[in-house]
């Protein structure tokens, strides 16, 4: 089948490669806006590397997932400081915020002019400021995607700013930045990565290129997520052969591959539900995906076997099971059980723990049915089936 690949202009992967950030950024600009997460402590080595190369830096911290006003504020800062490049340093929220700022700093108008669904949906036409993505978690894959997910508190929804012009000039993935992640963050981001490997593999637009990425990524998650979750903090960088170090590197690769796969194939009902839900309640995106993943796989299998028995996705779910479980006789139903056990073992609660109630379901299924990610699901789910998934995930 026809397919194409669009990704960051340059992908750099390797433990310790943060040391090259000054040289890399210096080749793209001399006055950087550095978008970080809640605290600046983790960004200090990056700022030191920039300083050594004579790159000026203004820091913009985002306390949580990007909201419309945060994007406006960050864009205004980039313009007022005369920034000529933007660095995203952190988890998906920091990277998505930086990505949006980089493109809006060069295009006229307001963020609402370009947002889908709640905005005017105008096309972004001017190239973004050079954007350098440096993830510090292993989960979102945002460093290689061409969209930024933004929350509108007023509309209680998450929507995307989307354009090929938003792709990073450089994605710098240094697994060392993830070595000290606490177990909870390791679990939620790791399960987000796994979801973003499974959904593109079974989606309507799967292709040979993304299939290879998904297969390899799933192998790495299956063998390493539990080890990374249980690993002690402060892993010594020089213990390069330690199982904990190898596991963290595996998860960084898996996250990168998941981002490449979702950007060049598609997603499905997990993200179709988790996206809108993230605009309604406050919860880590990966935790929502984790709670939904086994339920969606189970519902998809029932729907496929009932309405579309010739669909290739059924066999693909069998393949997922064999990869995750490491057993050539495993079936798709075994994958559902394996995934639920993993979610339970990593202490991911149901949706109710984040304030989701049965009363939210009608609003959520209405929004989920319109979500862009839902279009990639291997089978069209009814509103009743969506409601059943959500209720089961409570």
């Amino acid at each position: 089948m026809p397919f194409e690949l669009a990704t960051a202009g340059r992908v750099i992967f390797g433990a310790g490669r943060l040391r090259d950030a000054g040289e890399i950024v210096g080749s793209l600009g001399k006055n950087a806006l550095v978008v970080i997460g809640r605290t600046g402590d983790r960004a200090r080595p990056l700022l030191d590397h920039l300083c050594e190369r004579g790159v000026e830096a203004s820091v913009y911290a985002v306390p949580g997932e990007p909201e419309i006003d945060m994007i406006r504020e960050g864009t205004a800062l980039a313009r007022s400081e005369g920034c000529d490049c933007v660095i995203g340093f952190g988890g998906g929220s920091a990277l998505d915020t930086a990505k949006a700022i980089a493109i809006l700093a060069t295009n006229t108008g307001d963020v609402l002019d370009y947002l889908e669904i709640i905005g005017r949906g105008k096309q972004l036409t001017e190239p973004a400021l050079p954007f350098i993505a440096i993830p510090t978690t292993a989960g979102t894959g945002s460093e290689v995607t061409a969209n930024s997910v933004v929350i509108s508190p007023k509309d209680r929804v998450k929507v995307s700013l989307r354009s090929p012009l938003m792709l990073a000039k450089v994605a710098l993935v240094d697994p060392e930045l993830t070595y000290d992640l606490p177990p909870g963050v390791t679990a939620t981001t790791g399960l987000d990565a796994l979801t973003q490997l499974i959904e593109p593999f079974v989606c309507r637009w799967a292709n040979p290129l993304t299939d290879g990425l998904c297969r390899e990524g799933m192998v790495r998650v299956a063998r390493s997520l539990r080890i990374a979750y249980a690993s002690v903090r402060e892993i010594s960088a020089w213990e390069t052969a330690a199982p904990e170090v190898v596991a963290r590197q595996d998860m960084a690769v898996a996250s990168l591959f998941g981002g490449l796969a979702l950007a060049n194939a598609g997603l499905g009902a997990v993200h179709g539900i988790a996206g809108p839900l993230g605009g309604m309640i406050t919860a880590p995106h990966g935790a929502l995906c984790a709670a939904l993943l086994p339920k969606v796989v189970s519902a998809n299998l029932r729907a496929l076997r009932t309405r579309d028995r010739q669909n290739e996705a059924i066999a693909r779910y069998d393949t997922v099971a064999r990869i995750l479980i490491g057993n050539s006789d495993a079936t798709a139903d075994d994958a559902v059980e394996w995934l639920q056990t993993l979610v339970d073992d990593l202490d991911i609660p149901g949706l109710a723990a984040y304030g989701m109630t049965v009363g939210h379901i009608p609003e959520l299924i209405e929004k989920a049915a319109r979500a862009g990610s839902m279009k990639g699901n291997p089978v069209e789910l009814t509103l009743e089936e969506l409601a059943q998934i959500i209720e089961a995930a409570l």
Side-chain angles (χ1 to χ4, degrees):
M1 62 178 296
F3 63 89
E4 60 182 82
L5 173 70
T7 191
R10 183 182 177 195
V11 177
I12 301 170
F13 185 98
R17 294 303 299 271
L18 183 67
R19 63 178 177 268
D20 300 324
E23 179 182 355
I24 293 165
V25 175
S27 69
L28 297 170
K30 297 300 180 184
N31 186 3
L33 179 69
V34 182
V35 181
I36 64 173
R38 289 182 176 85
T39 64
D41 295 344
R42 302 190 75 206
R44 178 49 52 192
L46 168 64
L47 297 175
D48 289 344
H49 291 313
L50 296 179
C51 183
E52 289 167 3
R53 287 286 176 169
V55 178
E56 295 184 10
S58 300
V59 176
Y60 181 61
V62 293
E65 296 190 63
E67 297 182 2
I68 288 176
D69 284 343
M70 293 179 195
I71 303 299
R72 289 175 176 144
E73 185 178 56
T75 302
L77 179 61
R79 289 172 174 165
S80 67
E81 294 295 323
C83 296
D84 55 10
C85 61
V86 179
I87 303 170
F89 181 88
S93 295
L95 267 58
D96 275 11
T97 301
K99 203 183 303 182
I101 291 171
I103 191 72
L104 290 171
T106 58
N107 283 267
T108 59
D110 183 67
V111 59
L112 281 174
D113 291 330
Y114 304 101
L115 281 175
E116 61 186 23
I117 302 177
I118 64 169
R120 299 173 186 86
K122 289 175 55 179
Q123 186 174 357
L124 291 154
T125 57
E126 297 300 319
L129 293 177
F131 168 55
I132 302 93
I134 307 176
T136 63
T137 64
T140 70
S142 181
E143 65 271 17
V144 287
T145 63
N147 70 297
S148 173
V149 180
V150 182
I151 295 177
S152 172
K154 178 175 70 72
D155 299 291
R156 287 166 47 86
V157 69
K158 279 185 177 181
V159 291
S160 281
L161 190 66
R162 197 183 303 274
S163 170
L165 298 172
M166 295 173 67
L167 285 165
K169 288 289 185 185
V170 179
L172 175 58
V173 184
D174 184 343
E176 285 188 2
L177 298 173
T178 72
Y179 286 0
D180 63 350
L181 288 179
V185 177
T186 299
T188 57
T189 55
L191 285 162
D192 189 15
L194 179 57
T195 303
Q196 292 171 174
L197 292 161
I198 293 174
E199 289 205 296
F201 188 70
V202 301
C203 82
R204 295 175 186 269
W205 304 300
N207 63 70
L209 194 154
T210 57
D211 282 353
L213 295 167
C214 292
R215 287 173 183 269
E216 180 66 18
M218 283 188 283
V219 168
R220 292 173 184 265
V221 174
R223 75 188 182 198
S224 291
L225 179 51
R226 290 178 185 274
I227 297 172
Y229 174 73
S231 67
V232 296
R233 301 184 68 178
E234 306 299 337
I235 300 172
S236 299
W238 55 84
E239 294 175 354
T240 55
E244 297 87 354
V245 170
V246 174
R248 291 289 184 181
Q249 294 177 352
D250 266 354
M251 292 307 301
V253 172
S255 175
L256 173 64
F257 284 8
L260 288 165
L262 75 89
N264 292 283
L267 289 165
V270 175
H271 280 81
I273 298 170
L277 181 55
M280 297 169 60
I281 63 174
T282 301
H285 171 72
L288 301 182
C289 289
L292 289 162
L293 179 58
K295 314 304 182 186
V296 167
V297 174
S298 179
N300 278 348
L301 286 168
R302 285 194 302 271
L304 287 164
R305 289 164 176 167
T306 301
R307 301 195 293 273
D308 194 3
R309 295 178 64 85
Q310 302 306 311
N311 194 308
E312 182 189 359
I314 297 175
R316 284 179 170 260
Y317 275 124
D318 286 334
T319 300
V320 169
R322 291 163 190 154
I323 292 172
L324 295 179
I325 299 169
N327 182 342
S328 61
D329 294 326
T331 67
D333 293 319
D334 297 323
V336 175
E337 182 179 352
W338 188 93
L339 289 168
Q340 188 61 62
T341 299
L342 178 66
V343 169
D344 293 341
D345 289 349
L346 270 54
D347 293 322
I348 305 295
L351 301 179
Y354 302 104
M356 176 71 188
T357 68
V358 173
H360 287 108
I361 292 179
E363 178 186 358
L364 178 54
I365 61 174
E366 180 184 351
K367 291 178 177 179
R370 303 196 309 266
S373 294
M374 198 66 75
K375 297 174 183 176
N377 204 57
V379 61
E380 185 174 351
L381 298 172
T382 66
L383 296 182
E384 182 180 358
E385 286 168 333
L386 292 176
Q388 290 170 350
I389 289 168
I390 298 163
E391 192 166 355
L394 288 174

